[in-house]
Amino acid sequence: MAVTESMAGATSGETRGLHEGILRRQSARESSARTYARALPIVPVRARGLTIEGADGRRYLDCLSGAGTLALGHNHPVVLEAIRGVLDSGAPLSVLDLATPVKDAFVTELFRTLPSGLADRARVQFCGPAGTDAVEAALKLVRAATGRSGVLAFAGAYHGMTAGALAVSGGAPDVQAARLPYPQDYRCPFGIGGPAGAELAARWAESLLDDPKSGVPLPAGMILEPVQGEGGVIPAPDDWLRRMRRLTADRSIPLIADEIQTGVGRTGAFWAVDHSGVTPDVMVLSKAIGGSLPLAVVVYRDDLDTWQPGAHAGTFRGNQLAMAAGTATLAYVRENALAERAAVLGSRMLTRLADFGREHACVGDVRGRGLMIGIELVTPEPEQREPGAPECGGPDGLGGAGDPAGCAGGRGADPGTRGVPDARTAPTAPGMPMAPAARTPYPPAPGLAAAVQRECLRRGLIVELGGRHASVVRLLPPLTISDEQAEAVLDRLTDAITAAARDHETHGPDRQRHPGADRRAG
């Protein structure tokens, strides 16, 4: 009997027993590599839109969305209709790489959404069902097309869990790719952030390529995320991204955009590269393009199509249900302007979270793009305050009316920086923008972030953690989230942060690094 059927008419004690029994058996029988199940001990049995119902009868607002897979939320009617249409038609469900009407419709809709400079001359390769296989395919593609082997990648990147994808990710155990700095404001590798920090990051890349003694020969390609997701929800500045496009084009280096998590409207544009007007040579796509079912593809410029038959293959690249669900999802997002909706609602949510953060010293930074949002939690260090600086917050240590400046190192004029109460500028090299003085952000607080995740779950909200030290609380709600649901998410999240921070203050600051700091998305 199905679990959902067995729940009908069950008492609360029986549903609790079912819930606990399933969790106990999972712990005893599944791999130690499981991740989400450790922090989210729930047993989903029903879902619709933003809402999940667990086997214990509790309801949750799901802002994990299958790690960004569910652009339309759980069980959207257009997705279910598309899947049923294939099932009821008698069509084969898996066809390797044979042509079918379902595949043809998917490719047509996908090409309709691509950046114009790519759509006119694109080729598509269907890969194994996971995004990491599409990354592997993209790396093989550019190596075959250029005859070169090296790859340029970025600090903080996450591209998957297979060997080649890990080699270009931030946690690679062995160096198989040249690593470049990724620009960011809060933890800028050059200590300045803003346009000046992005300029230095760009100059670093140019120097590495043009210096004959850099030790980095001309690479086969450059792979980047327009917004780093697992790296901590860090959007790439549009000017920097255009700079990377010019840098690679001038040197005949294929540019690979990893849009696995950022694609299909997530960031407020259909593809995150659309914000900058950049047209990459290769796009790696998965997650939302399958409409909640496994699907991964590489789309690339036709002159790179030098592969021999069978150069990259996979048994499950002919998943007809995923293609039908993907076509329905892509069309629905496009026809209903959900990317534009994500831009407006995401901006509103970021504004409210930033206002909240100014009153809470434990909030180091609020950032994101569209409905891809991150809140970095930190450990304020009172001993680092400027002489005479105000105490952080009122008597509860959580900010408030008694903390008009946001406190040194909080989110005042210079958010989350240690001992820098006011924004300041310093002269730079000729031609470079004025840069703020070097700043040091507060230490990350992975323990606090984990506590916030637990407090969210108690309040019926599912969130993910990310960032270099698992100290960034991440929101990836479906693009169909309503205004009222967004307010409910923010109410629960801010309440959870307040409660966790109060307990954190009571039991002492978090000085330890979380052992799962480099957790990966499935």
Side-chain angles (χ1 to χ4, degrees):
M1 182 181 295
V3 171
T4 51
E5 293 176 355
S6 68
M7 288 177 59
T11 66
S12 60
E14 289 171 334
T15 57
R16 278 198 305 273
L18 175 67
H19 163 88
E20 292 168 0
I22 291 174
L23 290 179
R24 185 171 59 253
R25 287 187 292 276
Q26 179 187 40
S27 178
R29 299 188 295 202
E30 288 191 24
S31 163
S32 294
R34 66 189 186 280
T35 55
Y36 299 109
R38 295 179 185 278
L40 302 170
I42 62 175
V43 180
V45 293
R46 296 186 189 91
R48 184 77 167 203
L50 181 69
T51 305
I52 285 179
E53 182 179 339
D56 58 355
R58 292 196 64 198
R59 293 180 181 271
Y60 303 88
L61 300 180
D62 181 13
C63 280
L64 175 56
S65 297
T69 299
L70 306 172
L72 304 184
H74 294 276
N75 294 324
H76 194 280
V78 302
V79 172
L80 297 182
E81 182 182 0
I83 293 172
R84 289 191 188 103
V86 175
L87 291 174
D88 293 343
S89 71
L93 299 184
S94 187
V95 293
L96 302 174
D97 65 353
L98 300 179
T100 70
V102 173
K103 177 193 277 189
D104 185 63
F106 172 78
V107 173
T108 299
E109 182 60 40
L110 176 62
F111 277 33
R112 185 178 286 135
T113 71
L114 294 175
S116 58
L118 181 59
D120 295 340
R121 51 180 305 190
R123 295 288 185 272
V124 60
Q125 166 71 19
F126 287 82
C127 304
T132 188
D133 187 60
V135 171
E136 296 281 353
L139 297 176
K140 287 170 62 176
L141 172 74
V142 296
R143 285 168 172 150
T146 64
R148 303 189 291 263
S149 60
V151 180
L152 294 177
F154 289 86
Y158 175 68
H159 298 291
M161 291 301 292
T162 52
L166 277 174
V168 292
S169 297
D174 299 309
V175 178
Q176 300 177 29
R179 206 71 52 171
L180 298 172
Y182 192 93
Q184 55 174 309
D185 285 335
Y186 188 62
R187 297 192 186 278
C188 174
F190 306 105
I192 54 176
E199 169 69 17
L200 289 175
R203 290 193 179 196
W204 183 295
E206 289 177 345
S207 174
L208 195 75
L209 288 170
D210 295 341
D211 182 353
K213 297 296 184 181
S214 70
V216 178
L218 193 67
M222 171 189 285
I223 184 168
L224 57 78
E225 299 159 277
V227 180
Q228 287 195 344
E230 302 306 305
V233 191
I234 303 172
D238 291 340
D239 285 343
W240 175 85
L241 197 53
R242 287 188 282 267
R243 185 80 167 267
M244 293 301 100
R245 172 67 287 188
R246 290 195 300 271
L247 180 154
T248 52
D250 290 347
R251 294 159 180 80
S252 298
I253 302 170
L255 177 63
I256 305 168
D258 182 341
E259 291 260 13
I260 290 172
Q261 192 166 108
T262 55
V264 194
R266 169 63 55 192
T267 68
F270 207 97
W271 306 108
V273 293
D274 292 340
H275 291 290
S276 61
V278 161
T279 299
D281 303 298
V282 183
M283 291 177 67
V284 182
L285 312 176
S286 187
K287 291 191 185 291
I289 68 161
S292 75
L293 297 181
L295 188 65
V297 303
V298 181
V299 180
Y300 53 91
R301 214 178 57 237
D302 55 5
D303 61 303
L304 296 173
D305 197 22
T306 60
W307 270 343
Q308 296 299 309
H312 195 81
T315 301
F316 294 106
R317 55 192 161 141
N319 187 339
Q320 299 292 280
L321 293 180
M323 292 177 194
T327 303
T329 298
L330 293 170
Y332 192 90
V333 171
R334 177 179 56 81
E335 293 168 358
N336 292 276
L338 291 191
E340 293 81 354
R341 159 78 175 160
V344 172
L345 183 56
S347 177
R348 193 182 309 152
M349 293 175 73
L350 281 166
T351 296
R352 180 174 163 187
L353 287 170
D355 290 342
F356 171 82
R358 291 188 187 95
E359 302 298 325
H360 294 75
C362 66
V363 178
D365 195 28
V366 174
R367 54 184 179 257
R369 201 157 202 177
L371 290 175
M372 190 171 181
I373 296 171
I375 306 96
E376 181 162 352
L377 300 177
V378 297
T379 301
E381 296 180 323
E383 69 275 10
Q384 295 286 347
R385 296 191 197 107
E386 293 280 341
E391 293 292 320
C392 288
D396 61 359
L398 296 173
D403 186 20
C407 83
R411 288 190 53 82
D414 194 7
T417 56
R418 228 181 289 171
V420 185
D422 299 309
R424 292 173 288 181
T425 58
T428 60
M432 288 184 65
M434 292 295 287
R439 58 186 188 173
T440 305
Y442 283 143
L448 175 58
V452 168
Q453 187 181 45
R454 291 191 296 271
E455 291 291 340
C456 282
L457 199 63
R458 292 190 184 103
R459 289 159 176 78
L461 176 63
I462 298 173
V463 298
E464 169 61 324
L465 303 182
R468 268 63 162 184
H469 302 284
S471 60
V472 178
V473 177
R474 303 180 60 207
L475 298 179
L476 291 166
L479 309 187
T480 52
I481 184 174
S482 68
D483 289 352
E484 294 76 16
Q485 287 175 327
E487 287 300 312
V489 166
L490 296 182
D491 287 344
R492 297 182 192 191
L493 174 60
T494 53
D495 188 55
I497 293 174
T498 300
R502 182 180 295 114
D503 184 67
H504 198 63
E505 287 284 326
T506 301
H507 294 92
D510 181 354
R511 302 294 184 195
Q512 294 184 340
R513 296 295 177 258
H514 194 279
D518 203 19
R519 299 186 350 165
R520 303 303 187 188

